[in-house]
Structure formats: C-alpha cells, structure tokens
Amino acid sequence: MKISRSWLQSYVDLASFPDDEISRAITFLGFEVEAVLHTGAPRLDSVFVGEVLTREKHPNADKLSVCSVDVGPQHGTKTIVCGAQNYKVGDRVPVALPGAVLPGNFEIKQSKIRGQSSDGMMCSGRELGVGEDHAGLLILTDRPAVGLPINEVLPSADTVFDIEVTPNRPDCLSHLGIARELAAFFKRELCYPEIRFTANSVSAGPVESELLHSVRVESQQDCPLYTAYSIAGVKIGPSPGWMQDRLRAIGLRPINNVVDVGNYVLHEYGQPVHTFDAANLRGRQIVVRPAGAGEAMTTLDGKERSMDPSMLVIADAERSVAVAGIMGGMDSGISDGTVDLVLEVAIFRRQSVRATSRRLGLSSDASYRYERGVDPHSLQEAAHRTLDLILDTAGGKVVGKLHRVGSDVPWQREILLHPEFVNERLGFPVPFEEMKASLESLELSITREETVFETNAVQWTVSIPSWRDDLDRPIDLVEEILRLHGTDRIPSAVVTSPGLLAEDDPLVIFNRKATEYLVGHDFHECVNYTLRSRKEQEDAGGAVEDLALSNPFVEDQSHLRASLIGGLLESLKLNQARGVVVSRLAEIGRTFLKEGGQLWECATVGFLVAEPVGERNWKSREFDDFYSIKHHLAAVASFAGIDLGRQPLTSVTSPESGWQPGHACVAGLLAHGWTASFGLLGLSAVKSLGIEGKVYAGVLAVLPEKISADTKRRRYKPLSIHPPALRDLAVVVDDSTASDEVRKALAKVAREAVGNAFQLESLQVFDVYKGQGVPEGKKSLAFSLVFRADGRTLTDDEVNGAFQKLQDRLAAIPGYVLRK
Amino acid sequence: MEQTLAALLSKAHSELSLLKSRVEFEAAKARFVGPNGELTALMKQMGAVPKEQRPAMGRLINEAKARLQTELEGALARIGEAEITAQLGPAIDPTLPSPDRGPGTYHPLTQVREEMCRILRKVGFAVADGPEVETEYTCFDALNTPADHPARDAQDTFYFPKQARFGNVSKHTPGERYLLRTHTSSVQIRTMLKGPPPIRIVSPGRVYRRDATDATHSANFHQLECLYVDRNVTVKDLKALLDYIFASLLGKDTKTRFRPHYFGYTEPSFEVDLSARHLPKVNKEWIEIGGCGMVDPIVFDGVGYDSKVWTGYAFGMGLERLAMLLFGIDDIRYFYQNDLRFLRQFA
C-alpha cells in the first residue's frame, strides 16, 4: 500500500523529520517499508513556463536550434539554444533561467554555445526531476500561463512509502491510520479532517422527487450495514489539483471529481465508498442480493463477469449494478453527463467479499479492505467526509432520505491491565508513565486507575477504540507498549537455560546416524523434491492413486514419493549429463507407502552406487557388488534397531519392481514397522532413463513411531582367555537353497552337539563352490566353526566328539550331503 | 688341517652368498655345521690330533667356527632383506593421486541444520520431529489461524483428497483434511499435546507451499523452529536467544534486531533482522532472517496448558535462506539438483 508523505502531513506535522526517519518509524511500528519512492517536481526556483516564439537553425550546428522564448512580463523574451527536436513554435515548455539549480546540482548559467549566446535552458521532464522521459522537452499541453513559476504547474515533490500492512491491522490501510501510528510514535498531535456535513444539512423534498426510493438488503449476513445518500445537481469535472497530486502520488489516475473523491476517501479513511449515477438506477431502488445463476455484468474494468448465487451484488429494480464491495458496473457509473448521484457507504462481510473476489479473479482497493475488515463504527464519519468533498468539488446538494439498512452492534471494549504484567512479560522495566503515554497516544485511553485490594496491584481500565478490533487481552497491550517503547531497545541478556531431561527424538538420532554412516562411506548426501511425477511413482510400484495431491501446482510434482530411488536416479542422470563422474548418492527423507488400505509416512534412507561411468584412473579399483550394498543396508537398519542378519530376505523375481530379478531382494514388512529392498536396479529400466552403467541401490523405510530410543545400558560379559578350537566342514546342497538356511541348520546342530560343555563361538561361510567334484545343480558351502570354553583349554577329544556328532546330525538332514 | 679349514671357509663363503631362501639356508647350514656337516666332521677328527697340537688346532677350529657363524648370520640377514624387498615391491611415488573415491559430503542444508541444532543443544534445546503430512488442526487451527485465512487456501497449501487416509498421522477431528505442512510449527503443537511443560525443542524439517519454483521459491523447503515453554519466559529471554544463536553462528560482533510483526500464534510477534560482517553477497546492513514472538495464550489454552501459568517463545526461520546467506548461494534450486560440483563445495 502506498502512503504519500505530503498527504500524511494533513493529519500530523512531520515536517521536521527526514524521509528515512519516517521510514524507520513505519518499520518499527510494525509495517515493512518495501520501497521509498519520490514523485513530483522538487522545488525549482527560476524555472518558469515559457512559450516558444521562433525557432531557427543554429548557424554553426546542424542539430541545434536558436529560439526566442517568451517567459512572461517579468522576464521578457529570451534567446535560448536548444538541442531537442520534439517541439514547435507556440509550444509552452519549462524554461530554466540563469541562477536556477536543477536536480543533480546542475546550475544554469548564461552561456555561449558554438558562438551563440543562450539565456537559459528549455527542460525535459527528467532534467526537472519529474519523470524519466528524456526524449525531448516537457511540453506543457495544458498551456498554463506564460511566466508562472513551474512549481505551480507541476505536481509538487512528494515521498511515497510503499508499505506492507499486516493482516491484523486493517485500520492502517489508510493515510489516517498510518498518521495515527506516526503521531503516536513521534508524540505529535493527530488532526482528523473537519467534518461539516450533518443530517441536518439535507434538503428535504417531496418523496416522489427522491433519487432513491428504497434500499432492500436480502442478505443481511453478507451485508450487515448499508447506507446510501442522494446528491442532486452535481457538475462533473476535474478534481482539484491537490487531490489529483495526492492520487497520482499513490499511483492512481485521476478521473473526475466524484470518482476521485471516492478514491480519496478510501485512501484517507480505509472505508470503500461507491457512487452511482442516479439516472442509471432503474426503479430508483437498490437491492443487495445474491447474484442469479449465470447473471452477467460488465464491470468498470470493461470485462464481462458471469456470476453465481454465492456472490453478492448491488442491483436496481432490474439488474445488478455492482459486485458488492469489489467493483461497480460499467453502465451505472459516473459519466461526464451525470447530474444526480447515489453514494453507497456499506459494510460487506469479509469472507463473502474474499470468496467472490477469488472466484471472479477480480480484486480492487475496495475488496482488499473489505477482505481485511472495515470498521463499521467509522463508516458514518467516512460517509460524511465523502459528502463534504463531493459538495466541495462537484457542487450539488444532499437530498431526500438517508437510507440506512442494518445496524452495527454498539461498540464497547475495555481491557483490564496490570502495568506490572507488562514488565513481567517484557522482562525489563518500562516506567508506568511511559506506558500510559503510549496507550493514550494510540487513543487507548485509560478510563480508570485503581489498586486491587487483594494484591495491592495497580490496575488500569483501558478503553479500546472501535478500529482496534485486534486488541482484546492484556497481552495485546503489551505489544502496543513495546512497539512504542521501541523493539530495537530490548536490552541484551544472556540465555538462561534450566536443564530439562529431554533427548533428541529417536527419529532424529536415526537420521543423523544414517547420514553420518553413509557420508563416512563416501556417499554424497542429496536432497530431492518430495513431490514427484505420477509416472515415477508408477515405475517404482507406488500406490499412485493414494499418493496424488488434490491440488498439485505443476504436473511433474503431483504425487508424494513412494521411494527415494527415483530422485537419486534423477540426480545421477543430471550429473552424468553434465559430464560429472558420480558413483555414490544417498538421501535421508520421508516416503509414503501403502499398507492395510492406507498410506504411512515413513522415515526413509536410500542410497545408490553407480558404475563411475567416464572415470579414468591410473590404478583401477574393484566396483561394488550386491554384497557391499547389503553391508550398507544392514548398517543403516541397525540404527533403527533392526538386525538384518536375523531377517528373512526374499529374492526379487518380478521385473515390474524396478529391480533386476535374481540380483536384488526385499526384507521386512511395513505391517511390522519397516521394509527394505536392495540390490541391482533393473538394467533395462535404468537404461531407459538414459543412465549409463549398472546401478546398485538400497532403500530402507521405517515407521517413525517404531524407532525407539536405545536407552539400554550394556552389561559387560567376561571373556574366555583360553585358546579356541577351529574346525571346518563343507556341505553340498541344492543350488537354490539359501546359505542362511544351511547356516541356521548348522548352528542348531552344533549347539545341540556342544551342549553346555563349551560354546560355539562363531560360525561363518568361508567358501561357496560349484564345479568339479560337486554335482550339477548343487553347490558346496564351506563353514568354519570356532569353539571355546570358559576357564579351561578344550581338548582335541571333546571337540572331535562334538564335531563328529554335529556332522552326523547335519548329514541326516534331507538334501544335505557332507563333502569329504 | 689348516688348509682344509681355509678351503672349507672359502667354499662356505661362496655358497652362502648365493642362497635365495630360508630353505636353502637351512640346508646349507646343515651341510656345514649340522651333525653331519663338514665342520662337524673336522671337529670329530680332533681326537686323532696329537695332544701337543690340540690347543693350536682347537684355536683354529674355533676361529673357523666363529667365522662360519658370521657368514651364516650374514647370509640369513641378506635373505631376510631380500624377502622384505620382495614383499614391498617397487617404491611408491608419493605424488600420485589416490585412486580411491573422494570423501562423501553432507548436503549444505544438513550442515546448516546440524550447526543450528548444535548451537541450540548447547542451551538445552532437544531436537524434535513430526510428520510432513499434517492435519488442518495441527497446522492451522491449533496455531490460531482462522478458517478463512488466506494461508489455508487451496491456492497456497497442498491438500489431499477427502478420502485420503494416513495411518500414522493422527487427526484431531474426523472431518478435517490432510495437507502438506506449511511450517514446522505443527511440531510445536504435537510436542505440546504429547506432554506437559516445561518444553524446550528445536524442530527442523521440510515444509511445503504451493508456489512457483524460481530462484527464491521452491515447492518444498526447510524450516527450523524453536519453542520454549516455562514459567516467566520474557521478551528479553527471546531476544537473548536470538543474539546467542547468531553470535554463535556468525561471530560475536553479529547483531540482531526485532521489528514488530504479526503472526497468529504469537503475541507480541516480531521479525528478526540480522547484521553481520563477512556475509557474502550481502550489501544491506540489516537482513531479514526469521520470525518470532511470545506464544499466544490461545495456543496454550488449545493444547491444554494453563496460559495463566505458562509462558513461552517461538522462533522460526528458513534453512535455505540461511544457507544462501552463509554460503552466498543465489538460487534456491541448486539445493535440489545435487550437482556434485555444488555438493563438494561444502565438504
């Protein structure tokens, strides 16, 4: 919103404050200053309106002319050399005479140009500081009187603050509102405009001659208060120069006196007003009603609007003439021939205006204010101000009935404030006298001061004016007092922090550990968008229908992600396309998986290891394989309390999964709190994305609520210092038998064989063999077993005995053959 | 005898110098000083030597034995050295680069997040987390955002269809819609609903706004919020926290200032400006960095805390914005492209 400095000056004397001080004051009152603009002409002494009498070519320069210019009786006719081309004899232009100082400290002197003396300079707009137009002289098309000082012709200099008003302060969407704040800030008096109109000023007349017979409001809820005034016999013409200057300064185009007054009052009081040409109100009536289905109207901006019954319109007996609170209709507005007016000053419900404005894609200064809230208790004052200004600028008289439909609930609000409470909340002392002065300066008057008997505390009764609907509780007044005290004066202090027995969320700890592990293993941590394309989720086997947003903003970000792999592949592809060799990427973030008919938000860790395509190295290193991926996944799973070694792993067989069948596996169930997949990504799927080389990947998704803090304190177990006994054995099984199945069977029979006599300390696969000596379709798995006893050295005999026993039992398992 | 010994020593010298391995060495050693060795054989002949010659002969033999022993030790040392040389291979060129992968990198957003969390943990804030899919209640209602507030509009907030169901995102009222959280303030609500005060948390996380992506806007971005609830928390305490945070982050000469502002869930509310030296690409004295305020009593009442007893403050800021300021990054999209040349700059 734009606020003109010279306009503010009408209500509060800020003349002694430079622009940047006012800007700072606005800022520290709580309104962001987005820009400070300068408009109009600065003070220009010795610059006058002149008329070009003759124009001759300069004898010594092709592009220059020598002109005689009439600068009025006081200064006479001057000879001026000019380089501009856009003027002709008879034009009136600004003329700077010797002694004038133009913006940029450019002093005009008597001079000689190519041998021709020049008594001054004819000026462009830019040279005068009134615009950027430098194409030529500023031609004064209104033909002001020759010899007039130029400042009487040009709009005067002004500073415009473009400020952002927070939604809690609709009272500040006006010059008076901002003036009130600045008056309080600078401790100056605020002068409201003088209102001359009273109900008694109305000329009564016969009812038949009334311009407006009736006002009917059909939607009381959306229009709680509607007032209308009739003004007869106006003369449409330009509004006064001072009003035009102010409107121009804040970016509005002057139209005519009546329309300009409406805009002026809106920006003065924040109360939207609207004027109709009474002749265009058919049936001399106003009906505030919902629009009919499909009802059409051409609004003042020239666009045809199709409406529906959710929208409120102002109508006459036959048709709608305005979209309530937003914009008037084209054919009911003021024209040059308008003689009689109907002035509307009303309150429309915020939500209704907002919804209509959204639906029509139509907003205006009026709708902006209605959406944020207009004070119904200031309505009458704004209405009377409008009438004053219309009568002043367009003549005419207020006639007939003053229509008023609806009512405003009488306003009264008081807040009981203990000034000590303010200091308790602030944490530093503000003197009570300062508090009082601050409240009073904002027109928050203290109507009563007393001492509460029980507590002996001082208590103030603070009366809240109608336009400060945002103030309701003592804490709200703390903010007012602090604003005027100055938020830049809050004293500095040290942080005091009593200890709390709180630890980081287990999910946070999990994420941190996983990130540290992966980065420690040379992965580059990535961050990808959570919202992704439908296709990517389909390709990854995600629950596409459930993942969809109801209102996506762009097509390729329409769905939640079901996996982190898609984003990582995109990052891989981007790097490859840019010629950057990349191998290890990881991301830690949320994914959304379906289970039991609903989606679950999962904490997810994903990583991929890609063949470093394009890498050249003087010494080659072996590339990772499935088992290195398994290692990483197991490590990450352990941070969530999952022991992957104890989990069943199922080989992927379906190519639709995105994984390469036979080279990837899945583990876990979301119903049990987690799920993982890892291995080689489908070769053709990866290739179809335009990615070169093999890509291994792993992804672990865990329900956040299943990750619990690991608070278990570990207990030490004594170690045996006696030597171990080592034995190896090999067992031949079907090629399709999982090694883990054999290992588990072996561990079981080994423990049985050892009993309580000593322990099987470890059991590991150390060889997998197929080929000569092993039948077709079979494989040999070799295990090493380590036995140890507490407190003594094992004898060969007891170990051999147990080893024989376990071999016998193992050999007895169908499909297992011991390899000799 | 003397000649025999000399010949023996000479032979031993030449043979031992040719030895290549420990096996050969052991065999050679046996040939000379083993039970059937040549020197041993000579020593056995001592019995046949006349008594008066024995001392001289004995001395000769001992000398020869000692020299032979030296030869053997020398040979063994040579073999040992040769073994080590063979084990080592050729000498390295220390200037060749390692063929191994370069180190991994933390994403700059993670680095900034973790740095903020470290700073805040030092003054007793624990890191909290919450879902990214949220409900209207947690994201808006509980934070005193009226139903018709523009931020709630489908124009600004991503919603899920009415029938959407999220198993682990609890709803407050059955009719409310699911959405993608627009700020991490929802974590404050969930934390307060979970347990009684006092509370001191920092909640970093991903948030969503229905915005066009450009150099300064992104469909999702990251925020970090602090919430402190206790008795007698004051505006001065809040200012002290902000001063502490930014002095920790940017040096002791860093200043912050508050400007009054408006947020529905705090009263009074402020915007926080920051003034620091050495920030790249910053040519203003004051830069807006976040918003804060004293928790509005309405919020406490809503989560069942007695607002007459409990007070608190909240502070929030954008992590991308902070990272952009700290590192001098001028386009938010770089954070989401994961170009290694970008990521490696922050290692």
Short mmCIF file of all heavy atoms in Angstrom, two decimals, chain B residues 293-331:
data_model
loop_
_atom_site.label_atom_id
_atom_site.label_comp_id
_atom_site.label_asym_id
_atom_site.label_seq_id
_atom_site.Cartn_x
_atom_site.Cartn_y
_atom_site.Cartn_z
N GLY B 293 8.23 -14.66 18.40
CA GLY B 293 7.29 -13.99 19.27
C GLY B 293 7.02 -14.80 20.52
O GLY B 293 7.56 -15.90 20.69
N MET B 294 6.18 -14.21 21.37
CA MET B 294 5.79 -14.90 22.60
C MET B 294 4.55 -15.72 22.28
O MET B 294 3.59 -15.19 21.71
CB MET B 294 5.49 -13.89 23.70
CG MET B 294 6.61 -12.87 23.94
SD MET B 294 8.22 -13.63 24.27
CE MET B 294 7.92 -14.36 25.87
N VAL B 295 4.57 -16.99 22.66
CA VAL B 295 3.46 -17.88 22.31
C VAL B 295 2.14 -17.28 22.79
O VAL B 295 2.01 -16.88 23.95
CB VAL B 295 3.67 -19.27 22.94
CG1 VAL B 295 2.50 -20.19 22.59
CG2 VAL B 295 4.98 -19.87 22.47
N ASP B 296 1.18 -17.20 21.86
CA ASP B 296 -0.11 -16.60 22.19
C ASP B 296 -0.84 -17.49 23.20
O ASP B 296 -0.87 -18.71 23.04
CB ASP B 296 -0.94 -16.44 20.91
CG ASP B 296 -2.11 -15.50 21.12
OD1 ASP B 296 -2.99 -15.81 21.96
OD2 ASP B 296 -2.15 -14.45 20.47
N PRO B 297 -1.43 -16.89 24.24
CA PRO B 297 -2.14 -17.69 25.24
C PRO B 297 -3.19 -18.62 24.61
O PRO B 297 -3.45 -19.71 25.14
CB PRO B 297 -2.82 -16.63 26.12
CG PRO B 297 -2.01 -15.39 25.95
CD PRO B 297 -1.41 -15.46 24.57
N ILE B 298 -3.76 -18.23 23.49
CA ILE B 298 -4.77 -19.07 22.82
C ILE B 298 -4.18 -20.43 22.45
O ILE B 298 -4.84 -21.46 22.56
CB ILE B 298 -5.27 -18.37 21.53
CG1 ILE B 298 -6.17 -17.20 21.91
CG2 ILE B 298 -6.00 -19.34 20.63
CD1 ILE B 298 -6.80 -16.51 20.72
N VAL B 299 -2.90 -20.41 22.03
CA VAL B 299 -2.25 -21.65 21.63
C VAL B 299 -2.10 -22.56 22.85
O VAL B 299 -2.38 -23.76 22.80
CB VAL B 299 -0.89 -21.36 20.97
CG1 VAL B 299 -0.14 -22.65 20.66
CG2 VAL B 299 -1.08 -20.54 19.70
N PHE B 300 -1.68 -21.97 23.97
CA PHE B 300 -1.54 -22.77 25.19
C PHE B 300 -2.88 -23.35 25.62
O PHE B 300 -2.98 -24.53 25.97
CB PHE B 300 -0.98 -21.90 26.33
CG PHE B 300 0.51 -21.64 26.19
CD1 PHE B 300 1.04 -20.43 26.60
CD2 PHE B 300 1.35 -22.62 25.67
CE1 PHE B 300 2.40 -20.19 26.50
CE2 PHE B 300 2.72 -22.37 25.55
CZ PHE B 300 3.24 -21.16 25.97
N ASP B 301 -3.91 -22.51 25.61
CA ASP B 301 -5.23 -23.00 26.02
C ASP B 301 -5.66 -24.16 25.13
O ASP B 301 -6.23 -25.14 25.60
CB ASP B 301 -6.25 -21.86 25.96
CG ASP B 301 -5.96 -20.78 27.01
OD1 ASP B 301 -5.26 -21.09 28.00
OD2 ASP B 301 -6.40 -19.63 26.81
N GLY B 302 -5.35 -24.04 23.84
CA GLY B 302 -5.76 -25.07 22.89
C GLY B 302 -5.12 -26.42 23.14
O GLY B 302 -5.72 -27.47 22.88
N VAL B 303 -3.89 -26.42 23.62
CA VAL B 303 -3.22 -27.71 23.86
C VAL B 303 -3.35 -28.15 25.32
O VAL B 303 -2.76 -29.14 25.73
CB VAL B 303 -1.72 -27.67 23.48
CG1 VAL B 303 -1.56 -27.41 22.00
CG2 VAL B 303 -0.96 -26.63 24.30
N GLY B 304 -4.13 -27.39 26.08
CA GLY B 304 -4.39 -27.81 27.45
C GLY B 304 -3.36 -27.34 28.46
O GLY B 304 -3.28 -27.88 29.56
N TYR B 305 -2.55 -26.36 28.09
CA TYR B 305 -1.63 -25.76 29.07
C TYR B 305 -2.36 -24.54 29.67
O TYR B 305 -3.04 -23.83 28.95
CB TYR B 305 -0.34 -25.25 28.40
CG TYR B 305 0.62 -26.29 27.93
CD1 TYR B 305 0.33 -27.66 27.97
CD2 TYR B 305 1.87 -25.90 27.43
CE1 TYR B 305 1.25 -28.60 27.53
CE2 TYR B 305 2.79 -26.83 26.98
CZ TYR B 305 2.48 -28.18 27.02
OH TYR B 305 3.38 -29.09 26.58
N ASP B 306 -2.16 -24.32 30.95
CA ASP B 306 -2.79 -23.18 31.60
C ASP B 306 -2.02 -21.91 31.24
O ASP B 306 -0.89 -21.69 31.68
CB ASP B 306 -2.79 -23.40 33.12
CG ASP B 306 -3.52 -22.27 33.85
OD1 ASP B 306 -3.84 -21.25 33.20
OD2 ASP B 306 -3.74 -22.42 35.06
N SER B 307 -2.65 -21.05 30.45
CA SER B 307 -1.94 -19.86 29.95
C SER B 307 -1.71 -18.82 31.05
O SER B 307 -1.00 -17.85 30.84
CB SER B 307 -2.68 -19.25 28.77
OG SER B 307 -3.95 -18.82 29.18
N LYS B 308 -2.33 -19.04 32.20
CA LYS B 308 -2.04 -18.11 33.31
C LYS B 308 -0.73 -18.50 33.97
O LYS B 308 -0.09 -17.69 34.65
CB LYS B 308 -3.16 -18.16 34.33
CG LYS B 308 -4.42 -17.49 33.85
CD LYS B 308 -5.40 -17.27 35.00
CE LYS B 308 -6.71 -16.73 34.48
NZ LYS B 308 -7.39 -17.71 33.58
N VAL B 309 -0.32 -19.74 33.80
CA VAL B 309 0.89 -20.25 34.47
C VAL B 309 2.06 -20.28 33.50
O VAL B 309 3.18 -19.90 33.82
CB VAL B 309 0.63 -21.67 35.02
CG1 VAL B 309 1.91 -22.26 35.61
CG2 VAL B 309 -0.49 -21.65 36.03
N TRP B 310 1.79 -20.71 32.28
CA TRP B 310 2.87 -20.98 31.33
C TRP B 310 3.03 -19.86 30.32
O TRP B 310 2.06 -19.31 29.84
CB TRP B 310 2.63 -22.32 30.62
CG TRP B 310 2.59 -23.43 31.61
CD1 TRP B 310 1.48 -24.10 32.07
CD2 TRP B 310 3.71 -23.98 32.32
NE1 TRP B 310 1.85 -25.03 33.00
CE2 TRP B 310 3.20 -24.99 33.18
CE3 TRP B 310 5.08 -23.73 32.32
CZ2 TRP B 310 4.04 -25.74 34.03
CZ3 TRP B 310 5.90 -24.48 33.15
CH2 TRP B 310 5.39 -25.47 34.00
N THR B 311 4.26 -19.59 30.05
CA THR B 311 4.61 -18.59 29.05
C THR B 311 5.64 -19.22 28.13
O THR B 311 6.20 -20.27 28.45
CB THR B 311 5.22 -17.35 29.72
OG1 THR B 311 6.24 -17.81 30.61
CG2 THR B 311 4.20 -16.56 30.48
N GLY B 312 5.91 -18.57 27.02
CA GLY B 312 6.91 -19.19 26.15
C GLY B 312 7.19 -18.33 24.95
O GLY B 312 6.52 -17.33 24.70
N TYR B 313 8.21 -18.74 24.25
CA TYR B 313 8.50 -18.06 23.00
C TYR B 313 8.73 -19.07 21.88
O TYR B 313 8.97 -20.25 22.13
CB TYR B 313 9.69 -17.11 23.12
CG TYR B 313 11.04 -17.71 23.50
CD1 TYR B 313 11.68 -18.63 22.68
CD2 TYR B 313 11.70 -17.30 24.66
CE1 TYR B 313 12.93 -19.14 23.02
CE2 TYR B 313 12.94 -17.80 25.01
CZ TYR B 313 13.56 -18.73 24.18
OH TYR B 313 14.78 -19.23 24.50
N ALA B 314 8.62 -18.59 20.65
CA ALA B 314 8.86 -19.43 19.48
C ALA B 314 9.64 -18.60 18.47
O ALA B 314 9.49 -17.38 18.39
CB ALA B 314 7.54 -19.89 18.87
N PHE B 315 10.49 -19.28 17.74
CA PHE B 315 11.28 -18.62 16.71
C PHE B 315 11.36 -19.56 15.51
O PHE B 315 11.49 -20.76 15.68
CB PHE B 315 12.69 -18.33 17.24
CG PHE B 315 13.72 -18.09 16.16
CD1 PHE B 315 13.60 -16.99 15.32
CD2 PHE B 315 14.78 -18.96 15.97
CE1 PHE B 315 14.53 -16.76 14.31
CE2 PHE B 315 15.72 -18.75 14.95
CZ PHE B 315 15.59 -17.65 14.12
N GLY B 316 11.25 -19.00 14.32
CA GLY B 316 11.34 -19.85 13.14
C GLY B 316 12.07 -19.15 12.01
O GLY B 316 12.06 -17.93 11.90
N MET B 317 12.73 -19.95 11.20
CA MET B 317 13.44 -19.37 10.06
C MET B 317 13.57 -20.41 8.94
O MET B 317 13.38 -21.60 9.16
CB MET B 317 14.84 -18.93 10.49
CG MET B 317 15.73 -20.09 10.89
SD MET B 317 17.32 -19.55 11.51
CE MET B 317 17.87 -18.66 10.11
N GLY B 318 13.90 -19.93 7.75
CA GLY B 318 14.08 -20.83 6.61
C GLY B 318 15.53 -21.26 6.52
O GLY B 318 16.43 -20.43 6.59
N LEU B 319 15.73 -22.57 6.34
CA LEU B 319 17.11 -23.06 6.30
C LEU B 319 17.79 -22.76 4.97
O LEU B 319 18.97 -22.48 4.91
CB LEU B 319 17.15 -24.56 6.57
CG LEU B 319 16.99 -24.95 8.04
CD1 LEU B 319 16.97 -26.46 8.19
CD2 LEU B 319 18.12 -24.36 8.88
N GLU B 320 17.02 -22.84 3.88
CA GLU B 320 17.60 -22.50 2.58
C GLU B 320 18.09 -21.06 2.60
O GLU B 320 19.19 -20.76 2.16
CB GLU B 320 16.58 -22.67 1.45
CG GLU B 320 16.47 -24.08 0.92
CD GLU B 320 15.51 -24.93 1.72
OE1 GLU B 320 15.09 -24.49 2.81
OE2 GLU B 320 15.18 -26.03 1.27
N ARG B 321 17.24 -20.19 3.14
CA ARG B 321 17.60 -18.77 3.18
C ARG B 321 18.89 -18.58 3.99
O ARG B 321 19.79 -17.85 3.58
CB ARG B 321 16.46 -17.97 3.78
CG ARG B 321 16.79 -16.50 3.91
CD ARG B 321 15.57 -15.64 4.14
NE ARG B 321 15.95 -14.28 4.50
CZ ARG B 321 16.45 -13.40 3.66
NH1 ARG B 321 16.62 -13.73 2.39
NH2 ARG B 321 16.80 -12.20 4.05
N LEU B 322 18.96 -19.25 5.12
CA LEU B 322 20.16 -19.13 5.95
C LEU B 322 21.38 -19.65 5.20
O LEU B 322 22.44 -19.01 5.18
CB LEU B 322 19.96 -19.90 7.27
CG LEU B 322 21.14 -19.86 8.22
CD1 LEU B 322 21.43 -18.43 8.67
CD2 LEU B 322 20.89 -20.75 9.44
N ALA B 323 21.22 -20.81 4.57
CA ALA B 323 22.36 -21.39 3.83
C ALA B 323 22.77 -20.47 2.68
O ALA B 323 23.96 -20.29 2.41
CB ALA B 323 21.98 -22.78 3.30
N MET B 324 21.78 -19.88 2.03
CA MET B 324 22.10 -18.98 0.91
C MET B 324 22.90 -17.78 1.42
O MET B 324 23.86 -17.34 0.79
CB MET B 324 20.81 -18.54 0.21
CG MET B 324 20.19 -19.67 -0.62
SD MET B 324 18.49 -19.33 -1.14
CE MET B 324 18.78 -18.53 -2.72
N LEU B 325 22.49 -17.26 2.59
CA LEU B 325 23.22 -16.14 3.17
C LEU B 325 24.64 -16.52 3.58
O LEU B 325 25.59 -15.82 3.29
CB LEU B 325 22.49 -15.67 4.44
CG LEU B 325 21.40 -14.64 4.28
CD1 LEU B 325 20.75 -14.37 5.63
CD2 LEU B 325 21.99 -13.35 3.74
N LEU B 326 24.74 -17.68 4.24
CA LEU B 326 26.04 -18.08 4.76
C LEU B 326 27.03 -18.38 3.65
O LEU B 326 28.20 -18.03 3.73
CB LEU B 326 25.90 -19.34 5.64
CG LEU B 326 25.18 -19.17 6.97
CD1 LEU B 326 25.09 -20.51 7.68
CD2 LEU B 326 25.90 -18.18 7.85
N PHE B 327 26.53 -19.06 2.61
CA PHE B 327 27.44 -19.52 1.56
C PHE B 327 27.45 -18.61 0.35
O PHE B 327 28.23 -18.82 -0.58
CB PHE B 327 27.06 -20.93 1.11
CG PHE B 327 27.10 -21.97 2.19
CD1 PHE B 327 26.00 -22.77 2.45
CD2 PHE B 327 28.24 -22.16 2.96
CE1 PHE B 327 26.03 -23.73 3.44
CE2 PHE B 327 28.28 -23.12 3.96
CZ PHE B 327 27.18 -23.91 4.20
N GLY B 328 26.56 -17.64 0.32
CA GLY B 328 26.50 -16.76 -0.85
C GLY B 328 25.88 -17.44 -2.06
O GLY B 328 26.23 -17.14 -3.20
N ILE B 329 24.92 -18.35 -1.83
CA ILE B 329 24.24 -19.03 -2.94
C ILE B 329 23.09 -18.16 -3.42
O ILE B 329 22.34 -17.63 -2.61
CB ILE B 329 23.72 -20.41 -2.47
CG1 ILE B 329 24.90 -21.28 -2.02
CG2 ILE B 329 22.90 -21.09 -3.55
CD1 ILE B 329 24.49 -22.50 -1.23
N ASP B 330 22.94 -18.00 -4.74
CA ASP B 330 21.94 -17.05 -5.22
C ASP B 330 20.72 -17.71 -5.86
O ASP B 330 19.84 -17.02 -6.36
CB ASP B 330 22.57 -16.04 -6.17
CG ASP B 330 23.34 -16.74 -7.28
OD1 ASP B 330 23.18 -17.96 -7.43
OD2 ASP B 330 24.10 -16.06 -7.99
N ASP B 331 20.65 -19.03 -5.86
CA ASP B 331 19.49 -19.68 -6.47
C ASP B 331 19.13 -20.91 -5.64
O ASP B 331 19.93 -21.83 -5.48
CB ASP B 331 19.82 -20.08 -7.91
CG ASP B 331 18.57 -20.48 -8.69
OD1 ASP B 331 17.66 -21.09 -8.09
OD2 ASP B 331 18.50 -20.17 -9.89
#
